[in-house]
Amino acid sequence: MAQNEVALIAALEQERALLGRTSTAERVAGLLRERIMAGAIPPSTRLSEDAISRALGVSRNTLREAFRLLAHERLLVHELNRGVFVRRLTPEDLSDLFQVRRLVELGALRGVRAVGPERVVALRAALDEARQAAVDGRWMDVGTANMRFHLAIAALAGSPRVGELMEHVLAELRLVFLVMPDPRRFHEPYIERNAEICRLLEAGQVDAAHDALVRYLDDAERELLRAL
């Protein structure tokens, strides 16, 4: 068993107590999703059905259902005669995700005339979180805070369904962040670009914030495509 798999299994064994008697495929999927998003299970990793089911103390049928849920979210892929793997996104996947982001985030900004102070709270909180993580050198956490910032932009649409869609889109996009060779070089410049968008929204300059977000998304897509 590879060293990274040993570490994963040990971590999942610690989570076993959280499942208890109310274990469900959804909760198993939630644990695996968190590990994938945290970078503990990198793209292209094969997931051992036997090892994970034993580590969590769940049946193989429950684990297979969890795998199916995560495959539906496009985080896992089943390869015939090979097993289940964490997905590695293609350039086409990435461009499609950014197309959805433009529809959702830019649409959210086009739908508001002003953003009140109470609606900026989530944006400011995510921005502060990113800055502190950068000071601490926690670049994966900077990426997480960045996702929360853009979830907060999508939330300006006032639709729970839009928020749920955005969560799935950003979860997929995290698979690209995990293979970036230099997370600091990628994430650091976008902290202040998020800050600019936040300042414009606070000042009531929604159109300018929209235009800044257009440039942000275009630049981020180009940089990620180069990485792929």
Side-chain angles (χ1 to χ4, degrees):
M1 187 180 295
Q3 185 175 358
N4 61 342
E5 186 176 353
V6 171
L8 168 63
I9 296 306
L12 291 176
E13 286 174 343
Q14 294 178 6
E15 302 280 10
R16 179 174 178 170
L18 298 177
L19 294 174
R21 294 185 179 181
T22 60
S23 173
T24 64
E26 288 83 1
R27 294 187 66 184
V28 173
L31 291 174
L32 293 174
R33 186 187 302 108
E34 288 174 7
R35 294 290 171 179
I36 293 170
M37 293 300 95
I41 317 177
S44 300
T45 299
R46 181 180 179 277
L47 300 183
S48 168
E49 186 178 289
D50 181 59
I52 293 175
S53 62
R54 281 190 285 105
L56 291 176
V58 298
S59 71
R60 290 194 174 197
N61 284 340
T62 296
L63 183 60
R64 286 169 187 159
E65 179 59 24
F67 283 169
R68 280 192 288 270
L69 291 171
L70 294 175
H72 181 70
E73 295 176 19
R74 304 175 71 87
L75 297 179
L76 300 182
V77 61
H78 181 269
E79 296 185 11
L80 188 62
N81 298 324
R82 295 192 64 216
V84 176
F85 294 80
V86 178
R87 282 189 71 217
R88 178 177 289 274
L89 298 189
T90 66
E92 292 76 19
D93 290 324
L94 182 64
S95 293
D96 189 41
L97 288 170
F98 269 86
Q99 176 67 9
V100 176
R101 288 190 67 180
R102 290 182 179 94
L103 290 170
V104 172
E105 294 185 64
L106 298 177
L109 291 186
R110 283 194 295 268
V112 296
R113 292 188 176 181
V115 180
E118 73 284 352
R119 305 183 79 180
V120 178
V121 171
L123 294 169
R124 274 285 163 204
L127 188 56
D128 291 344
E129 182 184 342
R131 284 172 166 159
Q132 185 58 56
V135 169
D136 297 340
R138 295 180 284 109
W139 297 104
M140 289 296 295
D141 291 341
V142 172
T144 299
N146 176 69
M147 289 197 296
R148 289 185 180 138
F149 183 90
H150 289 275
L151 279 171
I153 289 179
L156 296 175
S159 166
R161 288 176 176 81
V162 167
E164 185 178 340
L165 170 63
M166 191 65 175
E167 285 181 0
H168 288 306
V169 167
L170 292 177
E172 272 195 81
L173 195 58
R174 187 63 177 262
L175 296 176
V176 182
F177 293 164
L178 295 176
V179 299
M180 293 296 287
D182 187 349
R184 176 176 182 171
R185 184 173 179 274
F186 174 72
H187 288 300
E188 193 168 32
Y190 290 100
I191 297 174
E192 290 311 310
R193 296 186 72 167
N194 282 340
E196 177 194 7
I197 293 168
C198 189
R199 284 192 297 269
L200 290 169
L201 290 174
E202 286 176 314
Q205 299 179 45
V206 178
D207 289 344
H210 174 280
D211 293 344
L213 183 56
V214 168
R215 295 189 295 272
Y216 178 113
L217 293 173
D218 288 347
D219 291 346
E221 181 180 6
R222 277 194 296 268
E223 192 165 355
L224 288 168
L225 283 170
R226 283 198 299 268
L228 286 179

